[in-house]
């Protein structure tokens, strides 16, 4: 066993300095289309919006409005002839408009236990949630833990569009949680149904089934975006030093 | 490549044997796509399929049910050969809703028939276990969502109020027998699926899986969409093998359209598909290490996974390579320096994987958990038609890249396959490690062979039907597509490696100790998103 310990020590510290510092490492986030982009040829706004297969872009006069909740990261607007600018960054989590909950502050905010429900996700969101436990993100250092029982959970983290068959297990997991409890919807499927909902097999987002408190857009949202949601929920979301973000998260 | 002359010879030999055995009960034709088509009378359907599977060494790719305007049409697609494709075709009037099963002879068709029974309402006479498969108790009895008459725009069912009505057909009756339910919500981050572990004391006698918690009706959702939009569904129904599934879908569409994808695009597709396999295998290896509880080792493996994700994000913008493969080629081209950077990262990750795997080999506490655990025999793997690293860990060389070469695997890239014989968890781990190394080599080779040129051609909107295939990270995937006159998807049939391998999962999960269940799950490395569709 000693060789493993030595190897671990030799690896050194890999953990991101976020949220104390902004993390601009290439490849940690695909970015999102910039909203309110002013186009060189304003009359092209309609055509640029039509490129989006998910209805996330909208022409508002000569500008292009972007709804990150609907974006499925197909990159067609970034790479196509209209070249809508995408910005890097990952602090995408927002309080849901309908949420009436307060943040989990004080004693509840420093040791938060998560219950993760896969309500029909494609595995990419879940994979990014899994990455939160790797040494690069190590969410334990910030007081976030995954719990094996809903009875010990403070936060329900839901991925996927909520399929017919997962509706009941999702409601039961939520019902088994003690208060105060909060719900985070992760990924565009969980926010709007994505490509799969609303349909005959899936809802148009977790909010149709449960009261959602924090939403994380992305297809999938990168680990730091999910971490940002947890920080937002516990009132620690605005602390990242606002160093200028790298011009782009994605290669052009 | 098979020469046309010998191709025709094999074709004739097959044809003669079929005619000799069944005479007028089978009609044989040669459609333009080069496949051999056999239309048997229903009474000999099972015999014909059994003959292809057991005597002629063909593997079942997929079963496609179609409700056409005039009649039911079922296609049983077999690959192997030569000839590479044999299609067994059944037509029957729309008011007939039953036909004989082939699962009595071809066990690999078992789940295909159960799925068709659930989604189309066709009954397979002689199948021992139909009903309650894809659609759970939430759906009213007699709902068949894949029928043309079904209104797919309706909202989902609200769900049943009471306890689930589902019970396994047979259970163990013995003193102290106990049934342990696992899932569909797990203690960590795991995909939704449900298992009943039947146990007496410490030993689990058998495992009864219940799947399709994530049934999203992908085949139905794709209908009526242009291929440009449908490819997004093919890419996103299982996000961890996006490139492979998008590629298979595009190959079907490109075959229908009769276009040739530019050489540069084919090489880029192979490079990205191999990168995806490399990343998937790293994650699968990390999952196995996790399941054995080796903390430092799993941290080390996790580092490799995250670095692979980052290198994809940095090189091509998306960590899971979404948006690259589209019908006709690639959505966009990439510069040499961007791809070279990706290759350099892969090279360094492959070296570190090599160090780790040498350390695994000398960690006895690790090996103890994997050896002799979750064994699938070679005969079992063949009968169930298992695919991918699971089959290759059980001595079955099943790799579409070498056996049914496509794209640049036809000439430019030669794949060195890796097969292990033991069929246990450790054999599957060794296959994953060897294949990850091979993928790392192939990525560099594909990038090195790139020459300047176009990466995309226009796809004309023409009607037709075709099958596209690809060796996805978890194994063979087959996408059968029929397009209507506007070039929109009329029928999309998806057979995925997870669907195929979940069918055989219970073989590995018999007579084991409780604590080995996560290890068996991890060494199978299946995805319910990919299986449930």
């Amino acid at each position: 066993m000693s060789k493993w310990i030595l190897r671990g020590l030799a690896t050194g510290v890999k953990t991101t300095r976020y949220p104390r510092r902004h993390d601009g490492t290439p490849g940690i986030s695909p970015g999102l289309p910039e909203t309110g982009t002013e186009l060189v040829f304003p009359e092209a706004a309609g055509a640029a919006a039509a490129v989006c297969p998910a209805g996330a872009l909208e022409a508002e006069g000569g500008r292009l409005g972007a709804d990150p909740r609907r974006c499925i990261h197909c990159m067609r607007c970034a790479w196509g002839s209209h070249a809508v600018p995408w910005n890097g960054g990952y602090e995408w989590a927002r309080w849901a408009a309908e949420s009436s909950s307060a943040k989990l502050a004080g004693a509840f905010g420093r040791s938060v236990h998560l219950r993760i429900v896969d309500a029909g996700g494609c595995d990419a969101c879940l994979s990014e949630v899994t990455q939160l436990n790797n040494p690069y993100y190590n969410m334990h250092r910030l007081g976030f833990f995954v719990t094996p029982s809903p009875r010990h959970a403070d936060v329900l983290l839901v991925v996927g569009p909520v399929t017919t068959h997962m509706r009941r297990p999702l409601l039961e997991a939520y019902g088994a949680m003690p208060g105060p409890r909060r719900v985070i919807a992760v990924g565009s499927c969980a926010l709007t149904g994505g490509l799969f909902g609303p349909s005959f097999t899936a809802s148009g987002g977790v909010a149709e089934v449960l009261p959602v408190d924090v939403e994380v857009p992305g297809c999938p949202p990168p680990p730091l975006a999910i971490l940002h949601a947890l920080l937002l929920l516990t009132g620690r979301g605005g602390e990242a030093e606002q160093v200028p973000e790298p011009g782009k998260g994605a290669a052009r | 490549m098979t020469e046309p002359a010998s191709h025709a010879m094999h074709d004739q030999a097959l044809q003669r044997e079929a005619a000799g055995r069944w005479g007028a009960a089978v009609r044989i034709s040669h459609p333009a796509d080069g496949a051999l088509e056999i239309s048997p009378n229903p009474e000999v359907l099972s015999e014909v399929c059994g003959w292809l599977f057991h005597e002629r060494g063909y593997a079942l790719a997929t079963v496609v049910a179609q409700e056409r305007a005039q009649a039911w049409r079922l296609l049983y697609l077999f690959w192997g050969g030569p000839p590479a494709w044999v299609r067994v075709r059944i037509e029957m009037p729309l008011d007939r809703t039953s036909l004989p099963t082939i699962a009595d002879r071809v066990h690999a068709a078992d789940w295909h028939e159960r799925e068709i029974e659930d989604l189309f309402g066709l009954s397979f006479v002689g199948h021992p276990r139909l009903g309650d498969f894809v659609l759970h108790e939430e759906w009213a009895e007699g709902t068949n969502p894949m029928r043309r008459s079904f209104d797919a725009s309706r909202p989902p069912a609200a769900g049943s109020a009471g306890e689930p009505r589902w019970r396994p057909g047979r259970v163990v009756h013995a003193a102290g027998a106990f049934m342990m339910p696992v899932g569909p919500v797990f203690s960590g981050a795991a995909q939704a699926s449900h298992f009943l572990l039947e146990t007496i004391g410490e030993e689990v006698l058998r495992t009864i899986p219940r799947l399709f918690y994530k049934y999203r009706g992908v085949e139905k959702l794709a209908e009526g969409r242009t291929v440009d939009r449908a490819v997004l569904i093919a890419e996103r129904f299982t996000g961890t093998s996006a490139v492979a599934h998008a590629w298979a879908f595009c190959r079907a569409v490109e075959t229908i359209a009769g276009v040739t994808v530019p050489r540069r695009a084919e090489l880029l597709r192979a490079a990205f598909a191999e990168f995806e396999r490399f990343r998937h295998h790293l994650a699968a290896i990390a999952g196995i290490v996790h399941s054995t509880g080796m903390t430092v080792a799993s941290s080390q493996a996790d580092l490799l996974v995250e670095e692979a994700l980052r290198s994809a994000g940095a090189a091509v913008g998306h960590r899971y390579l979404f948006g690259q493969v589209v019908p006709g080629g690639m959505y966009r081209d990439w510069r040499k320096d961007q791809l070279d950077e990706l290759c350099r990262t892969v090279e360094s990750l492959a070296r570190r994987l090599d160090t780790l795997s040498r350390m695994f080999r000398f960690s006895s506490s690790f090996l103890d958990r994997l050896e002799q655990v979750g064994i699938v025999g070679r005969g079992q793997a063949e009968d169930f038609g298992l695919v991918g690293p699971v089959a290759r860990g059980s001595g079955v060389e099943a790799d579409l890249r070498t056996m049914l070469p496509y794209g640049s695997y036809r000439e430019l890239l030669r794949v060195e396959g890796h097969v292990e014989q033991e069929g246990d968890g450790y054999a599957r781990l060794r296959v994953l490690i060897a294949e990850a190394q091979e993928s790392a080599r192939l990525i560099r080779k594909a990038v090195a062979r790139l020459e300047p040129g176009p990466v995309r051609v226009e796809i004309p909107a023409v009607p037709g039907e075709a099958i596209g295939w690809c060796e996805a990270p978890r194994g063979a995937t087959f996408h059968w597509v029929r397009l209507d006159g506007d070039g929109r998807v009329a029928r999309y049939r998806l057979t995925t490696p997870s669907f195929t391998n979940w069918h055989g999962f219970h073989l590995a999960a018999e007579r084991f100790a409780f604590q080995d269940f996560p290890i068996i799950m991890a060494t199978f490395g299946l995805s319910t998103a990919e299986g449930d569709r």
Side-chain angles (χ1 to χ4, degrees):
Chain A
M1 276 299 100
S2 57
K3 63 182 178 183
W4 284 109
I5 295 168
L6 289 174
R7 181 157 185 89
L9 290 172
T11 306
V13 177
K14 294 281 187 185
T15 311
T16 175
R17 297 180 75 185
Y18 182 81
R20 277 193 299 124
R21 288 271 165 76
H22 179 82
D23 191 338
T25 315
I28 53 167
S29 166
L32 276 175
E34 240 164 54
T35 192
T37 306
E38 221 160 327
L39 296 176
V40 183
F41 303 106
E43 59 278 12
V51 167
C52 181
L57 296 179
E58 206 183 348
E60 301 160 346
R63 285 164 180 267
L64 206 55
D67 178 2
R69 299 170 78 251
R70 307 207 82 89
C71 179
I72 57 167
H73 288 190
C74 67
M75 312 298 218
R76 289 184 182 181
C77 65
W79 295 338
S81 50
H82 299 287
V84 174
W86 278 41
N87 57 32
Y90 39 78
E91 294 194 321
W92 303 342
R94 297 289 175 265
W95 281 91
E98 315 79 51
S99 173
S100 55
S101 308
K103 60 191 178 192
L104 284 174
F108 284 112
R110 295 285 161 187
S111 169
V112 177
H113 287 70
L114 314 175
R115 180 76 169 162
I116 300 160
V117 179
D118 170 14
C122 76
D123 200 16
C125 285
L126 207 61
S127 166
E128 294 294 53
V129 172
T130 313
Q131 302 309 321
L132 286 174
N133 271 327
N134 79 34
Y136 276 108
Y137 303 109
N138 185 15
M139 64 172 175
H140 295 181
R141 77 199 149 99
L142 298 164
F144 302 117
F145 308 93
V146 177
T147 169
S149 163
R151 298 279 184 213
H152 300 157
D154 310 299
V155 172
L156 194 67
L157 211 142
V158 190
V159 302
V162 191
T163 54
T164 314
H165 297 161
M166 280 311 291
R167 189 187 172 95
R168 180 191 162 92
L170 175 65
L171 283 167
E172 286 189 359
Y174 181 71
M177 289 165 64
R181 56 186 174 179
R182 300 287 183 272
V183 177
I184 302 180
V186 175
S188 61
C189 288
L191 300 189
T192 64
L195 281 177
F196 304 104
S199 77
F200 71 106
T201 51
S203 77
V206 180
E208 286 183 11
V209 183
L210 290 179
V212 170
D213 296 304
V214 171
E215 299 182 328
V216 198
C219 184
L224 283 180
I226 305 167
L227 199 60
H228 177 242
L230 293 169
L231 293 167
L232 193 70
L233 196 73
T234 51
R236 292 183 273 159
E239 291 165 20
E241 201 180 311
Q242 289 304 310
V243 292
E245 290 173 353
K248 53 213 171 192
R252 292 284 173 270
Chain B
M1 298 294 288
T2 318
E3 293 298 315
S6 76
H7 185 99
M9 208 173 67
H10 287 292
D11 221 286
Q12 279 166 11
L14 211 61
Q15 194 173 337
R16 260 202 311 278
E17 193 179 334
R21 282 207 189 188
W22 296 286
V26 294
R27 286 169 310 286
I28 296 173
S29 58
H30 300 270
D33 64 359
L36 183 74
E37 192 165 284
I38 304 177
S39 305
N41 289 345
E43 309 81 63
V44 298
L45 169 67
S46 168
E47 283 178 34
V48 171
C49 292
W51 163 68
L52 285 169
F53 190 87
H54 293 289
E55 292 178 42
R56 305 304 303 231
Y58 277 88
L60 179 72
T62 185
V63 182
V64 188
Q66 300 177 71
E67 189 186 8
R68 305 293 291 253
Q70 314 296 335
W72 286 107
R73 182 183 297 170
L74 277 94
L75 300 175
Y76 301 78
L77 295 163
F78 291 88
W79 69 272
W85 288 95
V86 176
R87 225 171 11 237
V88 178
R89 172 173 160 165
I90 289 279
E91 301 248 0
M92 59 184 196
L94 285 172
D95 54 3
R96 254 189 71 184
T97 53
S98 75
L99 68 160
T101 181
I102 67 161
D104 56 349
R105 284 188 173 83
V106 183
H107 190 58
D110 173 16
W111 275 19
H112 288 276
E113 292 186 347
R114 290 182 71 184
E115 183 178 339
I116 293 168
E117 195 263 350
D118 236 8
L119 299 184
F120 284 93
L122 290 181
S123 159
F124 292 87
V125 179
H127 193 295
R129 202 165 47 135
L130 294 173
D132 193 86
F133 187 57
V134 178
L135 306 179
H136 295 181
E137 52 272 356
E138 283 86 350
W139 302 73
E141 210 50 55
T143 312
N144 304 121
M146 287 305 289
R147 284 281 184 97
R148 277 189 291 135
S149 56
F150 180 83
D151 175 18
S153 64
R154 65 165 230 197
S160 60
E163 282 292 304
R165 287 198 308 273
W166 176 70
R167 296 287 180 274
R170 284 177 303 169
V171 296
V172 171
H173 289 275
F178 175 73
M179 205 182 276
M180 167 94 173
V182 186
V185 179
F186 288 81
S187 57
Q191 291 203 56
S193 51
H194 183 62
F195 302 92
L196 291 176
L197 308 184
E198 290 201 86
T199 108
I200 304 180
E202 274 289 288
E203 193 187 40
V204 179
L205 296 177
R206 56 177 198 150
T207 306
I208 305 169
R210 194 188 199 204
L211 302 170
F212 295 102
Y213 280 89
K214 305 202 321 187
Y215 172 64
R216 287 150 290 164
V218 168
E219 292 181 4
K220 188 80 175 182
L221 294 181
E223 287 178 8
R225 298 197 193 215
T226 60
V227 293
D228 219 34
R229 298 285 156 104
V231 69
L232 295 169
I233 294 184
E235 185 172 75
R236 275 168 187 73
F237 81 94
T238 169
T240 48
S241 21
V243 175
H245 289 290
W247 192 0
F249 173 81
C250 290
R251 280 178 38 74
V253 171
E254 287 149 9
T255 308
I256 295 170
V259 300
T260 309
V261 176
R263 178 188 150 111
R264 185 174 172 88
E266 288 285 24
L267 278 167
L268 281 172
R269 282 178 175 185
F272 288 152
E274 291 302 333
F275 181 85
E276 180 174 85
R277 188 183 329 277
F278 181 69
R279 193 214 58 228
H280 167 272
H281 283 14
L282 286 180
I285 294 162
I288 293 172
V289 182
H290 265 288
S291 71
T292 63
M294 297 229 298
T295 323
V296 181
S298 42
S299 293
Q300 293 288 329
D302 282 348
L303 289 175
L304 301 185
V305 179
E306 174 65 18
E307 282 170 40
L309 287 166
R310 286 180 180 193
S311 65
V316 301
H318 196 282
R319 285 158 61 92
Y320 294 84
L321 301 168
F322 287 4
Q324 306 288 343
V325 182
V326 288
M330 303 293 286
Y331 194 81
R332 57 162 293 175
D333 202 353
W334 295 101
R335 289 196 314 272
K336 190 171 182 323
D337 57 306
Q338 291 166 319
L339 297 168
D340 284 345
E341 184 59 38
L342 190 70
C343 290
R344 270 194 294 279
T345 319
V346 166
E347 205 170 337
S348 102
L349 290 175
R351 264 200 309 275
R352 282 158 65 194
L353 173 66
D354 190 46
T355 313
L356 278 192
S357 46
R358 271 185 283 118
M359 288 173 75
F360 291 147
R361 219 182 308 154
F362 298 104
S363 299
S364 53
S365 63
F366 175 68
L367 298 186
D368 280 349
R369 303 294 309 273
L370 294 174
E371 281 178 323
Q372 302 290 315
V373 167
I375 297 174
V376 180
R378 188 191 168 128
Q380 291 175 318
E382 282 170 347
D383 284 345
F384 279 76
L386 301 189
V387 294
V390 174
R392 299 194 280 271
S394 296
V396 181
E397 200 213 325
D399 189 332
L400 295 182
R401 292 175 296 170
T402 53
M403 300 176 80
L404 215 54
Y406 53 94
S408 25
Y409 300 113
R410 272 195 292 260
E411 285 161 27
L412 298 172
L413 299 173
R414 232 181 75 79
V415 181
E416 291 290 336
H418 188 91
V419 175
E420 296 281 350
Q421 303 299 328
E422 294 89 337
D424 62 355
Y426 187 42
R428 292 193 281 275
L429 175 69
R430 293 204 306 280
V431 168
L432 288 172
I433 291 171
E435 289 186 5
Q437 296 291 1
E438 174 67 3
S439 291
R441 192 183 69 82
L442 288 168
I443 299 163
R444 296 196 296 270
K445 214 168 151 190
V447 170
R449 296 198 152 209
L450 284 174
E451 286 162 16
V455 292
R456 194 174 177 182
V457 290
E458 277 300 310
I459 292 278
V462 288
E465 54 188 58
I467 191 162
W469 64 91
C470 188
E471 183 72 17
R474 296 182 185 89
T477 188
F478 298 95
H479 292 225
W480 188 92
V481 179
R482 180 158 60 87
L483 301 180
D484 63 17
D486 312 331
R488 286 173 186 270
V489 176
R491 174 86 173 93
Y492 182 25
R493 169 69 181 155
L494 256 167
T495 299
T496 62
S498 289
F499 176 80
T500 310
N501 284 352
W502 274 123
H503 184 212
F505 174 74
H506 69 95
L507 299 169
E510 270 176 12
R511 306 199 78 92
F512 61 98
F514 248 125
Q515 66 273 19
D516 287 342
F517 187 66
I519 295 175
I520 297 172
M521 287 275 281
T523 58
F524 256 69
L526 302 180
S527 154
T528 51
E530 192 177 67
D532 298 355
R533 289 155 291 140

